[in-house]
Amino acid sequence: MELAKSRPLRVVYAGVLILWAVFTLFPLWWTVVTAFKTQSAVTGATPTFLPWIDFDPTLEPMRRIFVETEGYGVSGMGNLRKLAMNSLIAALCSGLLAVLLGTSAAYALSRFQYQRWKNRDIAFWLISQRMFPPIALVVPYFILFNFLDILDTQLALILVYTGMNLPLIVWLLRDYFRDLPVELEEASMVDGSTRYGAFFRIALPLALPGLVVAFLFAFVFAWNEFLFALTLTFEEAKTLPVQIAGNVALTGPRYWDIAAQGLVVMVPPLIVALLTGRYIIRGLTLGAVKY
Amino acid sequence: MAGPVAVQTARVAPVAKGHRLERSARFVFLVPTVAYLLLLGIFPLLFSLYLVFGSWQAGTKDISWVGLDNIRRLIEQDRFWNSLTLTITFVALVTAVELLLGTLVALSLQSAVRSRNWLRLAYTMPMLLPPIAVSYTWRMLFDFNRGPINYFLGLVGIEPVRWLAGQKSAVIAVMIADIWQWTPFIALGVLAALESLPAELYEAAVVDGASAGSLLRDITLPLLQPYIVALVALRAIDAFKIFDLVYVLTGGGPGTATEFLGYYGYVVGFRPFNMGFTASVAWAMVILMSIIFFIFLRVFRRIEQEA
């Protein structure tokens, strides 16, 4: 929809876009360059912005957080590989479990008419789960997991993250199934296949791209999550964000290393952002805005 | 949207032999998810409601009944009321600023034909980034001695600001970081809504000689209104939960200047270990957020009915 717009308005709009792009990208740029500075470049009198021009980039911080992890354990930087592994396992397993459960529920809500509780009521009940402040769940989780003796295990995080992502996945995939033609499934059922057959052989393959997007979202939200990981893990199952947040307490902000860790933890979400593109807004608005 | 699907399923349902199987399938497909959320969502929530009236010490496995003690203590604490006022002010302010900036960015994006996709991607990035990493990024930027923000201020002759050490400036710092990360949510949500508006309306109005200003005022904004309300409600609910940013950026300080409800609940529960008290704070939040959620619900139903 391109309309004749006045010239001053166009100039204002262009200005807004440029300013916002600078505002958005500068902090990211700062994290990237800081991750490749030496300690003295970070603590120098004036900030430096451009590698090779006003400072010499170095791989020292990257080497320290990946290679010298053993020695760094004492100063609080932790074992990055183990932490990344913990984050990865929690995010992958919870993402898969949530997609497994959520797909069938989404299919049910898009294909069946429920009588006692209407589909819409069930859907809103599901999404209301996502509205509660996590702090309200932290306390009962802590006590229950303590009772079950699974505090500080990956199982605890997987269980929690699955529940956290399930409502979103059902909502996203419900939309996705709705947009698929039901005629194919009907035809296969007329030909004698059961509902399960129609689901597994026809709907599921067609919905595969949707499942992938839903999984990627669940993965990122679990990967990024902090409060549950902070309260429910201590050492063995500790994730990257908890370690990064804890750095400052022990050593003061060693920005040169923290920026490197920050960059590492940012990479998977950035890849997902590139892969999912337009779906992001649909996902984050729970489908209120369709794209 | 549900309409056509409903009609078609109704036609499928009586298909001869699979009838009983079809009926059981309705539940087989849905029950695992519902059961999971009852177990890990509703049950813990009710358990935490019970804890509002209880006290639990690590080491022991018993919860002792303390009646209204937690609630009484909560109401008597100035720290709680400060945190509540601070949180509500914060949510109102960041949501308002994000709405204004976001709408402006959305309108600008709509006018950008060639660069729209690239810009949209760039603007999206902050939302998916780990809040902890984002918090450290802003901590570096706000650093008093070596942060680029104070450096740039210095270039235009402004004295360096003690961003994270001042009562007011710390709150502003948290707000700026939140605005940075979440304005795109409103911007891209509004842009998506803008792109879904019917072009014919505009064409007709232009034929009738409407000005750019009156197009915006009389057509765009009224049509956007339900979307904007839904986006704002979602954003407000999320802003209420602010925790990660405070944890890294200010630690609730200086003093209790940036102690938002989520952080307050955490500090009073996990530092002196008083789970019942945290449950009370959390339930105060649940009640507040439910109110916003119901507003969202009503608007969302309206959008769905119109679609």
Side-chain angles (χ1 to χ4, degrees), chain A residues 27-88:
Chain A
L28 296 177
W29 177 248
W30 188 252
T31 307
V32 174
V33 292
T34 309
F36 296 100
K37 285 179 185 174
T38 59
Q39 179 173 348
S40 57
V42 175
T43 54
T46 51
T48 49
F49 301 94
L50 302 165
W52 292 291
I53 294 170
D54 60 8
F55 73 94
D56 289 320
T58 166
L59 286 173
E60 269 301 296
M62 286 296 169
R63 201 178 64 79
R64 266 200 305 274
I65 63 169
F66 277 109
V67 183
E68 287 178 13
T69 46
E70 295 310 319
Y72 257 68
V74 274
S75 59
M77 296 304 281
N79 184 336
L80 193 89
R81 273 170 294 184
K82 180 169 183 242
L83 295 159
M85 217 45 204
N86 283 345
S87 279
L88 206 60

Coordinates of all heavy atoms in Angstrom, one line a residue, chain A residues 27-88:
Chain A
P27 N 24.5 -1.1 20.6 CA 24.8 -2.0 21.7 C 25.3 -3.3 21.3 O 26.2 -3.9 21.9 CB 23.5 -2.1 22.4 CG 22.7 -0.8 22.1 CD 23.1 -0.5 20.7
L28 N 24.8 -3.9 20.2 CA 25.2 -5.2 19.7 C 26.7 -5.0 19.2 O 27.5 -5.9 19.5 CB 24.3 -5.7 18.6 CG 22.9 -6.0 19.0 CD1 22.1 -6.4 17.8 CD2 22.9 -7.0 20.1
W29 N 26.9 -4.0 18.5 CA 28.3 -3.7 18.0 C 29.3 -3.6 19.1 O 30.4 -4.2 19.1 CB 28.3 -2.4 17.1 CG 29.6 -2.0 16.6 CD1 30.4 -0.9 17.0 CD2 30.4 -2.7 15.7 NE1 31.5 -0.9 16.4 CE2 31.6 -2.0 15.5 CE3 30.2 -3.9 14.9 CZ2 32.6 -2.4 14.7 CZ3 31.3 -4.3 14.1 CH2 32.4 -3.5 13.9
W30 N 28.9 -2.9 20.2 CA 29.7 -2.7 21.3 C 30.1 -4.1 22.0 O 31.2 -4.3 22.4 CB 29.0 -1.8 22.3 CG 29.9 -1.4 23.5 CD1 29.9 -1.8 24.8 CD2 31.1 -0.5 23.4 NE1 30.9 -1.2 25.5 CE2 31.7 -0.5 24.7 CE3 31.7 0.2 22.3 CZ2 32.8 0.3 25.0 CZ3 32.8 0.9 22.6 CH2 33.4 1.0 23.9
T31 N 29.1 -4.9 22.1 CA 29.4 -6.3 22.7 C 30.3 -7.0 21.8 O 31.3 -7.6 22.3 CB 28.1 -7.1 22.8 OG1 27.1 -6.3 23.4 CG2 28.3 -8.4 23.5
V32 N 30.1 -7.0 20.5 CA 31.0 -7.7 19.6 C 32.5 -7.2 19.7 O 33.4 -7.9 19.9 CB 30.5 -7.6 18.1 CG1 31.5 -8.2 17.2 CG2 29.2 -8.3 18.0
V33 N 32.6 -5.8 19.6 CA 34.0 -5.4 19.6 C 34.7 -5.6 21.0 O 35.8 -5.9 21.1 CB 34.2 -3.9 19.2 CG1 33.8 -3.7 17.8 CG2 33.3 -3.0 20.1
T34 N 33.9 -5.4 22.1 CA 34.5 -5.6 23.4 C 35.0 -7.1 23.6 O 36.0 -7.3 24.3 CB 33.5 -5.3 24.5 OG1 33.0 -4.0 24.3 CG2 34.1 -5.3 25.9
A35 N 34.3 -8.0 22.9 CA 34.7 -9.4 23.0 C 36.0 -9.7 22.4 O 36.6 -10.8 22.6 CB 33.6 -10.3 22.4
F36 N 36.5 -8.8 21.6 CA 37.8 -9.0 20.9 C 38.9 -7.9 21.4 O 39.8 -7.6 20.6 CB 37.6 -8.9 19.4 CG 36.8 -10.1 18.9 CD1 35.4 -9.9 18.6 CD2 37.3 -11.4 18.8 CE1 34.6 -10.9 18.2 CE2 36.5 -12.4 18.4 CZ 35.2 -12.2 18.1
K37 N 38.7 -7.4 22.6 CA 39.6 -6.4 23.1 C 40.5 -7.0 24.2 O 40.1 -7.9 24.9 CB 38.9 -5.2 23.7 CG 38.3 -4.3 22.6 CD 37.6 -3.1 23.3 CE 37.0 -2.2 22.3 NZ 36.2 -1.2 23.0
T38 N 41.7 -6.5 24.3 CA 42.5 -6.9 25.5 C 42.0 -6.1 26.7 O 41.3 -5.1 26.5 CB 44.0 -6.5 25.3 OG1 44.0 -5.1 25.0 CG2 44.5 -7.2 24.1
Q39 N 42.4 -6.5 27.9 CA 42.0 -5.9 29.1 C 42.4 -4.4 29.0 O 41.6 -3.5 29.4 CB 42.6 -6.5 30.3 CG 42.3 -5.9 31.6 CD 42.8 -6.7 32.8 OE1 43.3 -7.8 32.6 NE2 42.8 -6.1 34.0
S40 N 43.6 -4.1 28.6 CA 44.0 -2.7 28.6 C 43.2 -1.8 27.6 O 43.0 -0.7 27.8 CB 45.5 -2.6 28.3 OG 45.8 -3.2 27.1
A41 N 42.7 -2.5 26.5 CA 41.9 -1.7 25.5 C 40.5 -1.4 26.2 O 40.0 -0.3 25.9 CB 41.7 -2.5 24.2
V42 N 40.0 -2.3 27.0 CA 38.7 -2.0 27.6 C 38.9 -0.9 28.7 O 38.0 -0.1 28.8 CB 38.2 -3.3 28.3 CG1 36.9 -3.0 29.0 CG2 37.9 -4.4 27.2
T43 N 40.0 -1.0 29.5 CA 40.1 -0.1 30.6 C 40.8 1.2 30.2 O 41.0 2.1 31.0 CB 40.9 -0.7 31.7 OG1 42.1 -1.2 31.2 CG2 40.1 -1.9 32.4
G44 N 41.1 1.4 28.9 CA 41.8 2.6 28.5 C 41.0 3.8 28.7 O 39.8 3.8 29.0
A45 N 41.7 5.0 28.6 CA 41.1 6.3 28.9 C 39.9 6.6 28.0 O 38.8 7.0 28.5 CB 42.1 7.4 28.8
T46 N 40.0 6.4 26.7 CA 38.9 6.7 25.9 C 38.4 5.4 25.3 O 39.2 4.5 24.9 CB 39.2 7.6 24.7 OG1 40.4 7.1 24.1 CG2 39.5 9.0 25.2
P47 N 37.0 5.2 25.1 CA 36.5 4.0 24.5 C 36.9 3.9 23.0 O 37.1 4.9 22.4 CB 35.0 4.2 24.6 CG 34.7 5.5 25.2 CD 36.0 6.2 25.5
T48 N 37.1 2.7 22.6 CA 37.5 2.4 21.2 C 36.4 1.7 20.5 O 35.7 0.8 21.1 CB 38.8 1.7 21.1 OG1 38.7 0.5 22.0 CG2 40.0 2.5 21.6
F49 N 36.2 2.0 19.2 CA 35.0 1.5 18.5 C 35.3 0.6 17.3 O 34.5 -0.3 17.0 CB 34.1 2.6 18.1 CG 33.7 3.5 19.2 CD1 34.4 4.6 19.6 CD2 32.5 3.1 19.9 CE1 34.0 5.4 20.6 CE2 32.1 3.9 21.0 CZ 32.8 5.1 21.3
L50 N 36.5 0.8 16.7 CA 36.7 0.2 15.4 C 37.9 -0.7 15.4 O 39.0 -0.2 15.6 CB 36.8 1.2 14.3 CG 35.7 2.2 14.1 CD1 36.0 3.4 13.3 CD2 34.5 1.5 13.5
P51 N 37.8 -2.0 15.2 CA 38.9 -2.9 15.2 C 39.9 -2.5 14.1 O 39.4 -2.0 13.0 CB 38.3 -4.3 15.0 CG 36.9 -4.0 14.4 CD 36.5 -2.7 14.9
W52 N 41.2 -2.7 14.3 CA 42.3 -2.4 13.4 C 42.4 -0.9 13.2 O 43.5 -0.4 12.8 CB 42.1 -3.0 12.0 CG 42.2 -4.5 12.1 CD1 43.3 -5.2 12.3 CD2 41.2 -5.5 12.0 NE1 43.1 -6.6 12.4 CE2 41.8 -6.8 12.1 CE3 39.8 -5.4 11.7 CZ2 41.0 -7.9 12.1 CZ3 39.0 -6.6 11.7 CH2 39.7 -7.8 11.8
I53 N 41.4 -0.1 13.5 CA 41.6 1.3 13.3 C 41.9 2.0 14.6 O 43.0 2.6 14.8 CB 40.3 2.0 12.7 CG1 40.2 1.4 11.2 CG2 40.4 3.5 12.6 CD1 38.9 1.7 10.6
D54 N 41.1 1.8 15.7 CA 41.5 2.4 16.9 C 41.8 1.4 18.0 O 42.2 1.8 19.1 CB 40.5 3.5 17.4 CG 39.1 3.0 17.6 OD1 38.9 1.8 17.5 OD2 38.2 3.8 17.9
F55 N 41.7 0.1 17.7 CA 42.3 -0.8 18.7 C 42.7 -2.1 17.9 O 42.1 -2.3 16.8 CB 41.4 -1.2 19.8 CG 40.2 -2.1 19.5 CD1 40.3 -3.4 19.6 CD2 39.1 -1.5 19.0 CE1 39.2 -4.2 19.3 CE2 38.0 -2.3 18.7 CZ 38.1 -3.7 18.8
D56 N 43.6 -2.9 18.4 CA 44.0 -4.1 17.7 C 43.2 -5.3 18.3 O 43.3 -5.6 19.5 CB 45.5 -4.4 18.0 CG 46.3 -3.4 17.2 OD1 46.0 -3.1 16.0 OD2 47.4 -3.0 17.7
P57 N 42.4 -5.9 17.5 CA 41.5 -7.0 18.0 C 42.4 -8.2 18.4 O 43.5 -8.4 17.8 CB 40.6 -7.3 16.8 CG 41.3 -6.8 15.6 CD 42.1 -5.6 16.0
T58 N 41.9 -8.9 19.4 CA 42.6 -10.1 19.9 C 41.6 -11.2 20.1 O 40.5 -11.0 20.4 CB 43.4 -9.8 21.2 OG1 43.8 -11.0 21.8 CG2 42.5 -9.0 22.1
L59 N 42.1 -12.5 20.0 CA 41.3 -13.6 20.4 C 41.5 -14.1 21.8 O 40.9 -15.1 22.2 CB 41.6 -14.8 19.4 CG 41.0 -14.6 18.0 CD1 41.5 -15.7 17.1 CD2 39.5 -14.5 18.0
E60 N 42.2 -13.3 22.6 CA 42.5 -13.6 24.0 C 41.3 -14.0 24.8 O 41.2 -15.0 25.4 CB 43.3 -12.5 24.7 CG 44.8 -12.6 24.6 CD 45.3 -13.9 25.2 OE1 45.1 -14.0 26.4 OE2 45.8 -14.7 24.4
P61 N 40.2 -13.1 24.8 CA 39.0 -13.4 25.6 C 38.4 -14.7 25.2 O 38.0 -15.6 26.0 CB 38.1 -12.3 25.4 CG 39.0 -11.1 24.9 CD 40.1 -11.8 24.2
M62 N 38.3 -15.0 23.9 CA 37.7 -16.2 23.4 C 38.5 -17.4 23.9 O 38.0 -18.4 24.3 CB 37.6 -16.2 21.9 CG 36.6 -15.3 21.3 SD 34.9 -15.9 21.8 CE 33.9 -14.4 21.3
R63 N 39.8 -17.3 23.7 CA 40.7 -18.4 24.2 C 40.5 -18.6 25.7 O 40.4 -19.8 26.1 CB 42.2 -18.0 23.9 CG 43.1 -19.2 23.8 CD 44.5 -18.8 23.4 NE 45.1 -17.9 24.5 CZ 45.6 -18.4 25.6 NH1 45.6 -19.7 25.8 NH2 46.1 -17.6 26.5
R64 N 40.4 -17.5 26.4 CA 40.3 -17.7 27.9 C 39.0 -18.4 28.2 O 39.0 -19.3 29.0 CB 40.4 -16.3 28.6 CG 41.7 -16.0 29.1 CD 41.7 -14.9 30.1 NE 41.0 -13.7 29.7 CZ 41.5 -12.7 29.0 NH1 42.8 -12.8 28.7 NH2 40.8 -11.7 28.6
I65 N 37.9 -18.0 27.7 CA 36.6 -18.6 28.1 C 36.5 -20.0 27.6 O 35.8 -20.8 28.2 CB 35.4 -17.7 27.7 CG1 35.2 -17.6 26.2 CG2 35.4 -16.4 28.4 CD1 33.9 -17.0 25.8
F66 N 37.1 -20.3 26.5 CA 36.9 -21.7 26.0 C 38.0 -22.7 26.4 O 37.8 -23.8 26.7 CB 36.9 -21.7 24.4 CG 35.5 -21.4 23.9 CD1 35.3 -20.2 23.3 CD2 34.5 -22.3 24.0 CE1 34.0 -19.9 22.8 CE2 33.2 -22.0 23.5 CZ 33.0 -20.8 22.9
V67 N 39.3 -22.2 26.4 CA 40.4 -23.1 26.6 C 40.8 -23.1 28.1 O 41.0 -24.2 28.7 CB 41.6 -22.7 25.7 CG1 42.7 -23.7 25.9 CG2 41.1 -22.6 24.3
E68 N 41.0 -21.9 28.7 CA 41.5 -21.9 30.0 C 40.5 -22.1 31.1 O 40.6 -21.6 32.2 CB 42.3 -20.6 30.3 CG 43.6 -20.5 29.5 CD 44.2 -19.1 29.7 OE1 43.8 -18.4 30.6 OE2 45.2 -18.8 29.0
T69 N 39.4 -22.8 30.7 CA 38.2 -22.8 31.7 C 38.6 -23.4 33.0 O 38.1 -23.1 34.0 CB 37.1 -23.7 31.1 OG1 37.7 -24.8 30.5 CG2 36.4 -22.9 30.0
E70 N 39.6 -24.4 33.0 CA 39.9 -25.0 34.3 C 40.5 -24.0 35.3 O 40.0 -23.9 36.4 CB 41.0 -26.1 34.1 CG 40.5 -27.3 33.2 CD 39.2 -27.8 33.7 OE1 39.0 -28.0 34.9 OE2 38.3 -28.1 32.8
G71 N 41.5 -23.3 34.9 CA 42.0 -22.3 35.8 C 41.0 -21.2 36.2 O 41.1 -20.7 37.3
Y72 N 40.1 -20.9 35.2 CA 39.2 -19.9 35.5 C 38.1 -20.3 36.5 O 37.4 -19.4 37.0 CB 38.6 -19.4 34.2 CG 39.2 -18.1 33.8 CD1 40.5 -18.0 33.4 CD2 38.4 -16.9 33.9 CE1 41.1 -16.8 33.0 CE2 39.0 -15.7 33.5 CZ 40.3 -15.7 33.1 OH 40.9 -14.5 32.8
G73 N 37.9 -21.6 36.7 CA 36.9 -22.0 37.6 C 37.0 -21.3 38.9 O 36.0 -20.9 39.5
V74 N 38.2 -21.1 39.4 CA 38.4 -20.5 40.7 C 38.0 -19.0 40.7 O 37.4 -18.5 41.7 CB 39.8 -20.6 41.2 CG1 40.0 -22.0 41.9 CG2 40.8 -20.4 40.1
S75 N 38.2 -18.3 39.6 CA 37.9 -16.9 39.6 C 36.4 -16.7 39.2 O 36.0 -15.6 39.0 CB 38.8 -16.2 38.7 OG 38.8 -16.6 37.4
G76 N 35.7 -17.8 39.0 CA 34.3 -17.6 38.8 C 33.8 -17.5 37.4 O 32.6 -17.3 37.1
M77 N 34.7 -17.8 36.4 CA 34.2 -17.8 35.0 C 33.6 -19.1 34.6 O 33.0 -19.2 33.6 CB 35.4 -17.4 34.1 CG 35.9 -16.0 34.3 SD 34.7 -14.7 34.2 CE 34.5 -14.5 32.4
G78 N 33.9 -20.1 35.4 CA 33.2 -21.4 35.1 C 33.8 -22.1 33.9 O 34.7 -21.7 33.2
N79 N 33.2 -23.3 33.8 CA 33.6 -24.1 32.6 C 32.6 -24.0 31.5 O 31.6 -24.5 31.5 CB 33.7 -25.6 33.1 CG 34.2 -26.5 32.0 OD1 34.1 -26.2 30.8 ND2 34.8 -27.6 32.4
L80 N 33.0 -23.1 30.5 CA 32.1 -22.7 29.5 C 31.5 -23.9 28.7 O 30.3 -23.9 28.4 CB 32.7 -21.8 28.5 CG 31.7 -21.1 27.7 CD1 31.2 -19.8 28.3 CD2 32.2 -20.8 26.3
R81 N 32.3 -24.9 28.4 CA 31.8 -26.0 27.6 C 30.7 -26.8 28.4 O 29.7 -27.1 27.8 CB 33.0 -26.9 27.2 CG 33.7 -26.4 25.9 CD 34.9 -27.2 25.7 NE 35.9 -26.9 26.7 CZ 37.2 -27.4 26.6 NH1 37.5 -28.1 25.6 NH2 38.1 -27.1 27.6
K82 N 31.0 -27.0 29.7 CA 30.0 -27.7 30.4 C 28.7 -26.9 30.6 O 27.6 -27.4 30.4 CB 30.6 -28.0 31.8 CG 29.6 -28.8 32.7 CD 30.2 -29.4 33.9 CE 29.2 -30.2 34.7 NZ 28.9 -29.7 36.0
L83 N 28.9 -25.6 30.8 CA 27.7 -24.8 31.0 C 26.9 -24.7 29.7 O 25.6 -24.8 29.7 CB 28.1 -23.3 31.3 CG 28.8 -23.2 32.7 CD1 29.6 -21.9 32.7 CD2 27.7 -23.2 33.8
A84 N 27.6 -24.6 28.5 CA 26.9 -24.5 27.2 C 26.2 -25.9 27.0 O 25.1 -25.9 26.5 CB 27.9 -24.3 26.1
M85 N 26.8 -27.0 27.4 CA 26.2 -28.3 27.3 C 24.9 -28.3 28.1 O 23.9 -28.8 27.6 CB 27.2 -29.3 27.8 CG 27.2 -30.6 27.0 SD 27.2 -30.3 25.2 CE 26.5 -31.9 24.7
N86 N 25.0 -27.9 29.3 CA 23.8 -27.9 30.2 C 22.7 -27.1 29.5 O 21.5 -27.5 29.5 CB 24.1 -27.3 31.5 CG 24.9 -28.2 32.4 OD1 24.9 -29.4 32.2 ND2 25.4 -27.7 33.5
S87 N 23.0 -25.9 29.1 CA 22.0 -25.0 28.4 C 21.4 -25.7 27.2 O 20.2 -25.7 27.0 CB 22.6 -23.7 27.9 OG 22.7 -22.8 29.0
L88 N 22.3 -26.4 26.4 CA 21.9 -27.0 25.2 C 20.9 -28.2 25.5 O 19.9 -28.3 24.9 CB 23.1 -27.5 24.4 CG 23.0 -27.6 22.9 CD1 22.7 -26.3 22.3 CD2 24.3 -28.2 22.4

